[in-house]
């Protein structure tokens, strides 16, 4: 191989560049965990998306191959194969071996998509055991191969194709010596690719999983783009009006797209994107949107006497109650600021979104007075409820300030005061709560029994939520406060364990609890403090020996081992209440023997998290059943 190559100074630099990537992969792709592994796919797909945004590609196919290598195919122009005058190698080789090559496209077009660090194909190449690129253009098929970022075969013509066929194909196998995880998660790729398809209207993205014959190919293709994204997010909710409000424009080099629709819930679900990447911390684009929304609705409500002269202006929160919205901006040189460098800082994005939304929303409201009236009326109701909530909240605040030692009466607290050692079990029902109190290790385990079904925070306004006894008990027991008052350092237990019956009702209660935590103290989930206990489904007794089974498969396994005969006694637990304290300890609470599921959320496709909750909480029955069955099958609630 070395005989083929005469290493020039530039090529030596290339090797040093890629060596840097392999030495510190985290610097380039964030991490070498599962997240980084999936990030490789996004980097390659982003290049195809750029080709689509440039107007030359309308289909991208992503395959997870049997060996967990990935193939991406696009029908763009095909990467350039002509020799790079300076580097003395084909342009495609520059793309794959030169760090930062092709970062910005010249000639008016710009690179708009891009991953976590926007470093592209060469980083993927450097972190792959091998990578092969095939190019279809000018009636020829070209191919080149690299190993760990190093060119191992020169670019060759390997065949002919029709002149009309053009595009690029990349297959890479992530380097198992670099990544801690090398198995691709179908659902993670599915969610992100769906999101990308929503964000690029008209682009068709196909996902194939060659590892699983049963799995059918998925196709994501949305002519309506983010309008369909909003429709999708609201699919298990009741929309307040049939229209999706849509604004689009380009100001000062910033391409702006906004879609929104209100539903009958009380929570806002706005997602913002910069160059197709989610910005959970918002920034100037978000600020511009909020400003335009508040101003436009207040102007409209005043002008049309929906808001009386003596009444106060609607706040942004009032107007955004129950709003689902997508804000997508594309700009050439996004600047990120803030502690985690995740907030968009470009001020031209603020003014661009503000002006596009103000102008087009004003027009929409004038054209659709019934819709305008529905939104204004809902906002005015929200304004009144917010005033009531403020009173109720001030009341709870004062209470906790005065009697900050007064933990809820029903709480059986643990004696250890170091939160790191402490766990709190949130238990459904007083009787199970009683058993848990007897069973627990009182040093480190606290028990908080809750009565029956807890309030669905998706379906209640703040005033009602703050007045709810079960919710107040959890807030004071956890110690962190909520929303703006939230302070993780005050958390009293480093494990919050939800323990509910192993049936559909129990799953529903768990989800109500998770929804509350997610909406009011999301950091607890983000930082991994929330768990689900796993009580057994069956008790099997034979000759005075006892086994517990946590699933039907496990039951069958045990019966196979001990023999299926009439001396077996099988008890199906219908609820926690059927276990005595000792059994509850052995099966579900003993840290040495229990199974805990940690509740996690993947921020890569954050819009899906919201969906998990709303699907369960919404009024429509069908989507809810699907979710519960899905989780029953997989045996967890990994949100
Ligand atoms: C299959 C997986 C990933 C790509 C293209 C097409 C062109 C290109 C890519 O050019 C360098 C910089 C600006 C021209 C551009 C082809 C113009 C003419 C392209 C991909 C040269 C990059 N013909 N398709 N890069 N430009 N697909 N898919 O990576 O000046 S990357």
């Amino acid at each position: 191989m070395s005989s083929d190559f005469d290493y020039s100074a530039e090529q030596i630099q290339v090797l040093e560049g890629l060596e840097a990537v392999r030495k510190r992969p985290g610097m380039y792709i964030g991490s070498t965990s599962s997240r980084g592994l999936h990030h490789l796919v996004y980097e390659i797909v982003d290049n195809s998306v750029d080709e689509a945004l440039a107007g030359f590609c309308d289909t991208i196919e992503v395959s997870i191959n049997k060996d967990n290598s990935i193939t991406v195919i696009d029908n763009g122009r095909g990467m350039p194969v002509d020799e790079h005058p300076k580097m003395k190698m084909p342009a495609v080789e520059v793309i794959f071996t030169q760090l930062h090559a092709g970062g910005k496209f010249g000639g008016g077009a710009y690179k708009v998509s891009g991953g976590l660090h926007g470093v592209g194909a060469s980083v993927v190449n450097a972190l792959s055991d091998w990578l092969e690129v095939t190019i279809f253009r000018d009636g020829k098929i070209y191919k080149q191969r690299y190993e760990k970022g190093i060119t191992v075969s020169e670019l060759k013509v390997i065949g002919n194709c029709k002149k009309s066929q053009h595009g690029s194909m990349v297959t890479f196998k992530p380097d198992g010596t670099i990544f801690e995880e090398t198995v691709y998660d179908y659902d993670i790729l599915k969610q992100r690719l769906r999101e990308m398809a929503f964000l690029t209207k008209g682009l068709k993205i196909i996902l194939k999983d060659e590892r699983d014959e049963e799995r059918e190919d998925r196709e994501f293709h949305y002519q309506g783009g983010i309008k369909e994204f909003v429709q999708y997010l609201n699919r298990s909710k009741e929309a307040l009006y049939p229209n999706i409000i849509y604004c689009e424009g380009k100001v000062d080099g910033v391409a702006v797209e906004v879609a929104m629709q209100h539903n009958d819930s009380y929570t806002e679900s706005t997602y913002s994107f910069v160059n197709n990447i989610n910005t959970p911390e918002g920034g100037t684009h978000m600020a511009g949107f909020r400003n335009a929304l508040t101003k436009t609705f207040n102007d409209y409500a005043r002008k049309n006497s929906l808001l009386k002269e003596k009444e106060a202006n609607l706040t942004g929160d009032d107007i955004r109650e129950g709003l689902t919205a997508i804000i997508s901006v594309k700009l050439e040189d996004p600047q990120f600021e803030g502690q985690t460098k995740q907030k968009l800082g470009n001020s031209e994005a603020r003014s661009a979104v503000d002006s596009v939304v103000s102008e087009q929303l004003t027009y929409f409201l004038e054209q659709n007075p019934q819709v305008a009236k529905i939104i204004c009326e809902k906002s005015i109701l929200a304004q009144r409820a917010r005033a009531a909530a403020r009173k109720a909240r001030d009341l709870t605040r004062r209470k906790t300030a005065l009697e900050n030692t007064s933990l809820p009466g029903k709480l059986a607290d643990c004696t250890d005061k170091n939160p790191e050692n402490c766990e709190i079990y949130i238990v459904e029902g007083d009787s199970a709560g009683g058993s848990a109190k007897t069973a627990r290790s009182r040093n480190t385990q606290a028990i908080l029994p809750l009565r029956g079904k807890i309030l669905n925070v998706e379906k209640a306004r703040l005033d009602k939520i703050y007045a709810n006894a079960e919710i107040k008990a959890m807030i004071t027991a956890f110690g962190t406060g909520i929303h703006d008052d939230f302070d993780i350092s005050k958390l009293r237990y480093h494990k919050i364990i939800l323990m509910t019956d192993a049936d559909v009702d129990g799953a529903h209660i768990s989800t109500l609890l998770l929804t509350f935590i997610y909406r009011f103290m999301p950091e607890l989930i983000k930082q991994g403090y929330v768990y689900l206990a796993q009580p057994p489904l069956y008790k099997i007794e034979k000759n005075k020996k006892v086994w517990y089974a946590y699933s039907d498969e496990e039951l069958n396994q045990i019966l196979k081992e001990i023999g299926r005969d009439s001396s077996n006694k099988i008890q199906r637990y219908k609820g926690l209440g059927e276990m005595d304290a000792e059994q509850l300890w052995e099966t579900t609470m003993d840290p040495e023997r229990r199974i805990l599921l940690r509740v996690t959320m993947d921020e890569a496709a954050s819009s899906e998290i919201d969906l998990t909750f709303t699907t369960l909480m919404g009024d429509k029955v069908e989507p809810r059943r699907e979710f519960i069955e899905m989780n029953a099958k997989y045996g967890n609630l990994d949100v």
Side-chain angles (χ1 to χ4, degrees):
M1 141 180 96
S2 56
S3 62
D4 287 355
F5 292 96
D6 172 17
Y7 285 108
S8 66
E10 278 105 342
Q11 281 165 326
I12 289 164
Q13 252 183 355
V14 166
L15 293 179
E16 282 171 355
L18 295 183
E19 201 43 48
V21 177
R22 290 180 60 81
K23 265 200 190 121
R24 294 180 197 280
M27 296 264 289
Y28 298 86
I29 51 156
S31 80
T32 52
S33 64
S34 166
R35 215 187 163 108
L37 180 78
H38 291 82
H39 191 79
L40 299 182
V41 183
Y42 312 148
E43 283 293 348
I44 297 298
V45 172
D46 275 345
N47 293 333
S48 299
V49 171
D50 281 339
E51 188 66 0
L53 289 167
F56 297 100
C57 155
D58 66 10
T59 306
I60 301 173
E61 192 181 290
V62 178
S63 306
I64 314 171
N65 302 315
K66 280 206 167 71
D67 60 353
N68 274 291
S69 66
I70 296 283
T71 298
V72 181
I73 305 173
D74 72 42
N75 65 347
R77 288 168 290 186
M79 297 174 208
V81 293
D82 47 317
E83 191 179 85
H84 191 282
K86 245 199 184 153
M87 304 298 294
K88 307 268 180 255
M89 54 166 95
V92 54
E93 190 172 351
V94 177
I95 291 175
F96 280 98
T97 60
Q98 264 277 64
L99 199 53
H100 293 299
K104 240 178 255 170
F105 282 35
Y110 47 69
K111 184 176 169 69
V112 283
S113 65
L116 202 58
H117 303 281
V119 285
S122 61
V123 169
V124 177
N125 193 18
L127 300 177
S128 293
D129 206 24
W130 52 265
L131 182 149
E132 291 181 349
V133 55
T134 310
I135 294 156
F136 303 81
R137 61 182 288 161
D138 309 324
K140 293 197 181 77
I141 306 172
Y142 301 83
K143 188 166 178 175
Q144 186 164 40
R145 180 179 163 99
Y146 318 86
E147 287 173 10
K148 301 186 197 300
I150 296 167
T151 306
V152 295
S153 77
E154 57 187 317
L155 185 70
K156 284 187 201 104
V157 175
I158 58 159
N160 299 312
C161 62
K162 283 199 205 136
K163 279 236 157 159
S164 58
Q165 194 188 350
H166 46 86
S168 309
M169 170 161 101
V170 172
T171 300
F172 65 92
K173 174 113 165 83
D175 189 338
T177 63
I178 287 183
F179 290 95
E180 292 140 45
E181 176 64 73
T182 50
V183 178
Y184 275 103
D185 183 316
Y186 177 81
D187 290 311
I188 290 177
L189 291 179
K190 180 186 77 186
Q191 284 171 7
R192 174 63 184 144
L193 293 176
R194 178 194 280 135
E195 191 172 86
M196 284 177 153
F198 276 130
L199 290 164
T200 317
K201 63 176 159 226
L203 174 63
K204 185 191 285 180
I205 303 184
I206 298 161
L207 174 61
K208 298 182 173 185
D209 190 346
E210 306 291 354
R211 300 168 304 182
D212 182 353
E213 280 173 23
E214 313 262 285
R215 194 163 259 159
E216 290 193 22
D217 297 354
R218 292 293 302 260
E219 199 176 293
F220 304 114
H221 187 201
Y222 308 105
Q223 282 310 345
I226 62 168
K227 266 190 271 187
E228 286 191 59
F229 201 166
V230 167
Q231 211 160 35
Y232 174 82
L233 292 170
N234 269 347
R235 75 189 184 280
S236 57
K237 298 178 181 173
E238 293 296 336
L240 287 190
Y241 43 86
N243 326 46
I244 308 280
I245 304 172
Y246 179 71
C247 313
E248 183 184 17
K250 194 167 177 183
V251 182
D252 262 355
V254 183
V256 177
E257 256 194 292
V258 171
M260 60 186 143
Q261 184 186 45
H262 285 81
N263 60 61
D264 71 350
S265 80
Y266 304 109
T267 39
E268 180 193 357
S269 308
T270 300
Y271 300 98
S272 60
F273 297 84
V274 175
N275 296 348
N276 284 354
I277 302 158
N278 185 218
T279 41
E281 291 184 32
T284 47
H285 55 330
M286 188 72 131
F289 168 71
R290 292 187 164 183
N291 187 53
L293 199 71
T294 310
K295 188 181 54 180
T296 307
F297 273 103
N298 274 297
D299 286 354
Y300 182 89
R302 294 272 177 217
K303 209 169 143 195
N304 294 278
S305 307
L306 295 167
L307 205 55
K308 307 261 155 38
E309 223 172 285
K310 56 178 195 305
E311 286 174 316
N313 260 359
L314 300 165
T315 65
D317 284 334
D318 296 334
I319 297 159
R320 294 192 309 270
E321 188 187 88
L323 180 70
T324 297
I326 300 290
I327 301 154
S328 171
V329 297
K330 289 179 179 133
L331 66 166
E332 192 162 341
D333 189 21
Q335 300 294 319
F336 291 94
E337 38 189 50
Q339 277 202 321
T340 48
K341 294 261 176 275
Q342 293 198 59
K343 263 172 97 164
L344 184 66
N346 305 53
S347 62
E348 70 272 24
R350 184 200 325 267
S351 46
V353 178
D354 193 337
S355 81
V356 168
V357 173
S358 295
E359 189 179 304
Q360 296 179 29
L361 182 60
T362 302
Y363 181 74
F364 175 89
L365 297 181
E366 276 162 12
Q367 295 294 308
N368 297 275
Q370 310 100 304
V371 177
K373 189 160 174 251
I374 291 170
I375 301 172
C376 289
E377 280 171 357
K378 176 167 170 104
S379 305
I380 291 165
L381 280 180
Q383 186 184 43
R384 290 189 194 138
R386 214 171 296 282
R390 206 171 304 124
K391 273 190 202 153
R393 192 173 167 183
D394 285 349
L395 228 61
T396 46
R397 262 202 197 141
R398 213 167 306 139
K399 241 194 206 141
T400 47
L402 281 177
E403 9 167 7
N404 56 1
T405 48
S406 85
L407 289 162
K410 289 186 300 177
L411 174 74
D413 208 5
C414 51
T415 50
D416 195 322
K417 291 293 167 234
N418 179 355
E420 279 176 35
N421 304 332
C422 297
E423 322 179 328
I424 183 168
Y425 276 83
I426 312 291
V427 190
E428 152 197 9
D430 281 331
S431 80
S435 303
K437 281 183 190 178
T438 315
R440 72 187 174 131
S441 161
R442 58 172 54 238
N443 237 347
T444 56
Q445 294 181 322
I447 310 292
L448 181 65
L450 299 180
R451 213 169 306 119
K453 296 227 161 172
I454 84 146
L455 183 70
N456 182 351
V457 298
E458 295 273 277
K459 297 264 129 208
R461 280 211 163 94
L462 282 177
D463 48 344
K464 205 172 145 202
I465 296 171
Y466 291 136
N468 181 271
E470 322 296 317
I471 284 186
K472 276 199 279 195
M474 283 189 280
I475 295 173
T476 29
F478 295 172
T480 54
I482 55 171
H483 293 319
D484 300 342
D485 298 334
F486 183 84
D487 180 357
I488 195 102
S489 71
K490 296 208 175 111
L491 182 62
R492 300 180 63 251
Y493 314 93
H494 278 201
K495 284 200 176 73
I496 294 171
I497 303 168
L498 312 183
M499 185 160 73
T500 56
D501 290 343
D503 59 8
V504 171
D505 283 344
H508 189 212
I509 292 169
S510 289
T511 317
L512 288 167
L513 290 167
L514 283 175
T515 306
F516 159 66
I517 296 172
Y518 173 66
R519 290 286 182 212
F520 288 74
M521 338 174 165
E523 275 306 305
L524 294 183
I525 298 177
K526 282 187 196 154
Q527 300 199 21
Y529 292 122
V530 183
Y531 298 82
L532 298 174
Q534 292 297 100
L537 290 179
Y538 301 99
K539 178 184 182 185
I540 307 105
E541 267 185 275
K542 182 180 183 159
N543 306 332
K544 290 190 181 155
K545 274 172 89 176
V546 178
W547 293 262
Y548 296 101
Y550 294 83
S551 64
D552 287 316
E553 289 87 58
E554 206 179 338
L555 173 70
N556 287 331
Q557 185 64 36
I558 292 169
L559 290 177
K560 217 156 105 193
E561 276 165 28
I562 66 173
R564 285 174 208 269
D565 61 63
S566 54
S567 63
N568 292 339
K569 228 177 80 195
I570 302 173
Q571 185 188 353
R572 170 95 165 89
Y573 285 123
K574 288 193 199 70
L576 297 165
E578 287 179 27
M579 275 183 266
D580 61 30
E582 196 183 323
Q583 289 169 339
L584 192 60
W585 168 254
E586 281 178 7
T587 61
T588 318
M589 294 178 68
D590 178 2
E592 302 287 315
R593 283 177 283 185
R594 72 186 175 194
I595 306 169
L596 289 185
L597 295 180
R598 176 182 261 160
V599 179
T600 58
M601 51 198 225
D602 173 24
E603 286 173 83
S606 53
S607 59
E608 288 291 329
I609 301 166
D610 214 48
L611 195 76
T612 312
F613 287 108
T614 49
T615 305
L616 272 150
M617 294 302 106
D619 292 325
K620 294 188 180 169
V621 175
E622 273 316 306
R624 179 187 305 179
R625 178 173 318 141
E626 187 184 82
F627 183 86
I628 289 171
E629 282 170 1
M630 188 181 87
N631 282 299
K633 198 167 75 199
Y634 293 114
N636 72 46
L637 261 171
D638 238 7
V639 281

